[in-house]
Each structure stands twice: as C-alpha cells, then as structure tokens.
C-alpha cells in the first residue's frame, strides 16, 4: 500500500505507523468527508480465504458495530467504521497523535509507580466493566492494548488512558495475544471461548507487568513492588475463573484504594475546578456561560492534529413520535394506546397523547422544555411550552399539514426533515424530532405534526435559526454555521452579538464545530480550544497571516453535562471587524 491511496472511497492514506494486532498494515489517514485524521487498520484475509470473504466482512462489521457501542466511553478508543479495499476489510478508529502504548512506556521508563498504575487500572477497569455490561469482551488485553495520551504537548504527565486493540477477527483465544497475558484456562484449552473472567485475568497480568517489569510467572504470584495492589492483583490472577473479581469489583477496589470516585486519571470532581477553585460563571445564564480562549494578535499557523476531532455536520436519524404506540420511524418506547390515551377521564384532550402531556397544539416558533424518557431524540419526551430563553431545550421550527393520522405517521419524519434538519445540522449539538398527533387527538392538533429542533445535552437558552433576533447575545448552543457576530469582551466572558447578515460589520463567522477528544477536561479544552479549531479549519479558512481561527467552549457546568463541542470561528488575526463573508480556500 502506498501513500495517498484512497481506501473505501473516503480515507486517504497519509503515513504508515506499523502493523496492527492481526498483522495487517496500520496507517494514519485523512477522512476526506470530515477533513480529520483517523487510524486505519487492515485485517488481511489469509491465503485461500476468498470463498469466505463475504462472511468474513460481515463478521468484521458485526464485531466493529458491537465494540462501537463503547465509542463514547472516555477510556476506549472509538471505532467508527469498516470499509473494504481490494477484498480486505479496514477498520476505521480514532487517532490520537502523541499517544504511546504502555508496553513502550515500560520499555523506555521501566516499572511504573504504584499510584500512577492504580489510576491507570481504574480507567481500564471502568472501560472493561462498561463493555462487559454490553456483552463486549476485549479478548487480548496486554500493555500493548493500553494507550497513554499526554495531556501536554511536551509529552509530560500522561493523563488520558485508552483501551484499544479489541479482538475484531481471528481465532479464539485471539491469535497474537501476547505471551503471559492469556488466562490459564484458555492456555490449557486452545480455542476456548473468551469470558469476562479471562479479560480480568489479562488486566491483572497487565498491572503486574507494569510494576514488576515482566508478565506474571506460571503459576502467578502477587506483585512485590506494589504491596498496596498485591491482594487485588493476586485475586485477578486466580487460577479458577470463578475466584476472580469482576471488572466492576476491580474498579470499586481501586476507587477505595486511591480514595476517589472518579472515572479515571484527569477527571475532576463534579461542580469543581481542578484544585478546588469554583468556576467563574460571569454573567451568563444558569448552566454556565462559555469561556473563551485568550486572543492574541499575530501569526496563526497550521500545526499537526493533536487529537482526533469530529466535525458535527448532520443529524443522521430523524425520529417521529407517535404517542401511545411504537412509531414507524424509530424506537418510541413501550407505550400503547391504552397506556397513553389522548383523552383523560376528566375529558381533557391531549393532542399528542398523555405521555407528551400537552393539552394545546404546538405552533411554529414555540419554545419547549423536553424531558426525555430515555436517550434524547431517541425516546418519548414530555413537553412543556416555555418562554424562549427560560431554559428551553427545543423549539418548533415548522408545522406540517396531513390529510389523516396515517399520512402523518408515515410522512412526518420525511417532510419535517426538509425543514428541521436544515436548522439542526448547522447547530453544534442538536437533532430533529417529529411530534405526531394520536388518532384521537388528530383534530385537536389541527391535523398537523410539529417539527422540533432539540438540544442533545444542555438547553439552548433562547431561540434558534431564523427565530433569533438580530443583535442578541448568542449562546454557544444557538450558534449556527454561517452566523456572523461581533465579539465584545467582558470581565469574565464575552458577548457574541448576532449580525443580521455577514454584510454587516462583524468580527467572527462560524465555520464549524469540533467534538473534543474523549476524556478531555473543561480546563484542558479551554487551553486547547484555539488549537482544536485551527487544526481542523485553519488551512481552509485562514491560510494567510491576516486571518485566524478561534475556538469557543462551554462553561464547566455545561461541559460536564455533555456539551463537549468547540465552536470554531474565523476572523481577522488582530480582532478588528470586517464586512463581508469569509470563503473557504480551495487550496
């Protein structure tokens, strides 16, 4: 394989990094659609395996989909996709520049201090337990499967711990499992199916190797250079699988050992800044005003990507809610017509069913508070109409007329998508949702379905899209790609005053968004916001010295609530206002 080759019609090879766990090539590649770097790992088919090619590809896709359930875990390297090239599958995963695996770290620096190892073990046990809860086994844990991502560019103080190297294909036990890290029952019986207990053994062997400098002997003994961990590691290395603790029990033991209930190294306590200093919220709305990375005039140049970033470009699935019954457009929970009637015993009519709770039909422009029964945009919401800016996390952007409830149920998602997706797709953390009337409430709803744009994690604190007034002080959640606004610095924060168009005087134009790397703290994002945006958009939007790309992040409360997007803008490097829209460079 050569540089610049296009894999799967989307991923352009940039540089080879070595071999993957299955012996195939591993490359850093450029995602031509999202314009970000990813890691590609080849899973070559063996000689004479052409007849099983289709089955093999299907199995790889199924396994990647399974492991992909963990892509948002802060201590798991995200798997994104599987593509085919010349008959072989290639797995697409997150790329973390500067990361080193634990095996390399041990070769370079020798055994690890107990305190640092306990924090790493806590992160790994959390990742392993999350996988086991979903039925996802790792099957090849060893120091080579643990990535340490440095918090600082100089490589000091590795703070992010990531589990990688999940078995995607191959024999069980997995071919390529490093000697000394295979559970004894699997070593005795080649081909024996993996179990959670086998994963725990391999994790224990990894911790042992990190403090002793070599894998545990056979039979294993407790590590002597980490007396605080000796009992726990010894239990993880028990001969009989039933005698080993679960991954969750390992995590709980490590939490007690280090005296913290956190999700691994680098995680701060809820509601508190590192070091215990409370966040300065400025004058923003409840939930946290955004913080800004300091601007300094001068030259901004494109540098190498320091972490995987994802451009949020489209909402993907558009769900339609048919209250009281599983709708045809997605998972609507377990409601039934009898469980969610449209008319109460008192005669009150609920146009969209009692689960939704509204007694009056929605209208275009309504701001609502949505309380989701489960995952936002993938479950039934209870809705309440509120004043725009009063903590609203959704807004009705369009209403669609239908001749019958059947037509509404079958066509609401498709027709609303033309309106709501256009708005949601330009916002950093939003999606679209169709609220469809029930059969009994169809007339009361005006024979119309409501098209919502809803925030996934934190409120909008105001209107979205065309409903916003010119001159308002934008919240990050309201910022849309193409918006032009004027930067006004305040004591603790800043204002972003929306221009009616980019032909008006403005300092910033929104060019896109970057999702922060998994596990990144609000403080780290604050320091890295400009770099994250510059890495993603600098070459396209600010190729010269006179323009610059800036990053803007949420306050700690919103960040900890899941709003992990950095809003990226372009403007003059000296911060002076301009008139006219910026255009991306074609270079």
């Amino acid at each position: 394989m050569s540089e610049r080759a296009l894999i799967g019609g989307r991923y352009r090879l940039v540089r080879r990094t070595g071999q993957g766990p299955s012996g195939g090539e591993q490359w850093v590649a450029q995602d031509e659609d999202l314009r970000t770097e990813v890691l590609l790992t080849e899973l070559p088919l063996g000689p004479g395996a052409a007849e099983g090619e289709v089955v093999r590809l299907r199995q790889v896709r199924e396994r990647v989909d399974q492991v992909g359930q963990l892509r948002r875990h802060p201590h798991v390297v995200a798997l994104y996709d599987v593509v085919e090239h010349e008959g072989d599958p290639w797995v697409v995963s997150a790329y973390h520049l500067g990361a080193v695996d634990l095996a390399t770290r041990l070769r370079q620096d020798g055994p690890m201090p107990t305190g640092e190892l306990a924090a790493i073990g806590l992160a790994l046990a959390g990742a392993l337990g999350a996988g086991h809860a979903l039925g996802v086994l790792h099957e090849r844990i060893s120091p080579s499967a643990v990535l340490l991502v440095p918090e600082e560019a100089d490589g000091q103080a590795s703070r992010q711990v990531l589990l990688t190297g999940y078995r995607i294909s191959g024999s069980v036990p997995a071919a390529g499992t490093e000697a000394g890290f295979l559970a004894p029952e699997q070593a005795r019986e080649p081909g024996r199916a993996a179990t959670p207990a086998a994963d725990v053994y391999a994790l224990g062997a990894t911790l042992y190797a990190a403090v002793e400098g070599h894998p545990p002997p056979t039979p294993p003994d407790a590590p002597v250079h980490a007396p605080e961990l000796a009992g726990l590691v010894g239990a993880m290395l028990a001969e009989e699988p039933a005698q080993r603790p679960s991954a969750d029990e390992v995590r709980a033991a490590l939490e007690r050992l280090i005296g913290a209930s956190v999700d691994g190294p680098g995680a701060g306590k809820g509601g508190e800044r590192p070091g215990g200093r409370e966040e300065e919220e400025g004058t923003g709305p409840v939930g946290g005003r955004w913080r800004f990375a300091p601007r300094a005039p001068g030259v901004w140049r494109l540098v190498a990507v320091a972490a995987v970033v994802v451009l949020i470009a489209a909402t993907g699935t558009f769900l339609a809610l048919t209250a009281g019954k599983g709708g045809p457009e997605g998972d609507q929970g377990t409601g039934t017509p009898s469980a969610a009637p449209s008319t109460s015993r008192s005669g009150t009519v609920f146009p969209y069913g009692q689960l939704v709770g509204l007694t009056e039909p929605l209208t275009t422009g309504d701001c609502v508070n949505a309380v989701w029964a489960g995952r936002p945009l993938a479950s039934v919401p209870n809705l309440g109409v509120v004043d725009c800016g009063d903590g609203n996390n959704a807004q009705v952007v369009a209403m669609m007329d239908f001749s019958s409830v059947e037509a509404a149920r079958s066509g609401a998602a498709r027709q609303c998508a033309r309106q709501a997706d256009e708005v949601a797709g330009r916002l950093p953390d939003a999606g679209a949702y169709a609220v469809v009337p029930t059969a009994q409430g169809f007339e009361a709803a005006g024979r119309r379905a409501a098209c919502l744009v809803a925030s996934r994690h934190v409120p909008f604190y105001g209107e979205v899209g065309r409903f916003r007034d010119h001159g308002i002080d934008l919240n990050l959640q309201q910022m849309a790609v193409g918006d032009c606004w004027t930067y006004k610095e305040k004591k603790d924060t800043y204002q972003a005053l929306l221009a009616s168009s980019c032909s008006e005087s403005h300092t910033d134009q929104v060019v896109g968004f970057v999702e922060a790397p998994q596990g990144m703290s609000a403080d780290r994002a604050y320091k890295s916001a400009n770099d994250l945006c510059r890495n993603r958009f600098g070459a396209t939007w600010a190729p010269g010295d006179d323009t610059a790309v800036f990053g803007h992040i949420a306050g700690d409360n919103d960040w900890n609530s899941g709003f992990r997007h950095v809003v990226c803008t372009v403007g003059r490097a000296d911060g002076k206002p301009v008139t006219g829209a910026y255009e991306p460079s074609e270079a």
Side-chain angles (χ1 to χ4, degrees), residues 298-558:
V299 178
W300 296 80
R301 298 193 183 277
L302 183 66
V303 297
V305 176
V308 63
V309 294
V310 180
L311 173 64
I312 303 302
T315 59
T317 302
F318 189 103
L319 297 177
L321 167 65
T322 54
K325 116 179 239 190
E329 302 298 334
D331 178 15
Q332 305 306 326
T334 58
T336 64
S338 59
S342 296
T343 305
S344 68
R345 293 182 180 180
S346 64
T348 303
V349 175
F350 296 89
Y352 313 102
Q354 288 194 45
L355 288 177
V356 177
L358 296 173
T359 58
E360 297 291 333
L362 293 166
T363 61
T364 301
D366 280 346
C367 289
V368 298
N369 182 36
V371 179
W372 302 92
R375 186 161 55 91
L377 297 169
S379 60
V380 178
N382 176 268
L383 301 179
V385 177
V386 297
D387 290 336
C388 295
D390 189 17
N392 66 291
N393 59 0
Q395 185 169 16
V396 180
V397 297
M399 300 294 298
M400 292 292 165
D401 295 311
F402 293 95
S403 59
S404 66
V405 68
E406 291 77 15
R409 287 174 175 170
S410 63
R414 182 177 63 257
Q415 293 191 37
C416 280
R418 300 171 185 169
Q419 299 284 337
D421 268 353
E422 193 277 332
V423 178
R426 296 171 59 215
L427 295 170
D429 193 40
Y433 202 101
V435 183
V436 182
T438 61
Q440 298 92 333
F442 186 62
E443 295 298 332
R447 306 169 71 88
R448 299 193 298 172
C451 306
L452 299 184
V453 168
S455 176
R456 298 180 186 276
H457 292 97
V458 297
F460 289 128
Y461 301 116
E463 298 174 303
V464 297
R466 61 187 173 88
F467 299 96
R468 300 169 300 173
D469 293 327
H470 303 149
I472 66 167
D473 183 10
L474 290 171
N475 298 301
L476 284 187
Q477 300 89 317
Q478 296 173 284
M479 288 187 180
V481 173
D483 281 351
C484 287
W485 49 268
T486 298
Y487 175 96
K488 295 284 187 181
E489 191 166 329
K490 297 294 183 180
K491 177 182 178 181
D492 298 313
T493 181
Y494 63 90
Q495 289 181 314
L497 304 179
L498 179 65
S500 60
S501 72
C502 290
S503 61
E504 288 189 358
S505 176
H506 62 276
T507 59
D508 289 77
Q509 178 179 326
V510 180
V511 295
F513 319 105
V514 169
E515 187 175 13
Q518 292 181 357
M520 178 175 277
S521 68
D523 266 17
R524 184 68 242 159
Y526 168 68
K527 297 173 183 177
S528 305
N530 284 342
D531 287 337
L532 287 171
C533 287
R534 190 164 66 247
N535 290 341
R536 170 63 183 85
F537 297 104
T540 303
W541 287 92
D545 294 345
D546 56 335
T547 54
V549 170
F550 305 107
H552 314 264
I553 74 161
D556 284 2
N557 289 345
D558 283 353

Side-chain angles (χ1 to χ4, degrees), residues 77-93:
V77 172
L79 297 188
Y80 296 137
D81 196 6
V82 177
V83 294
E84 181 184 355
H85 182 75
E86 297 180 351
D88 286 335
W90 290 68
V91 177
V92 184
S93 60

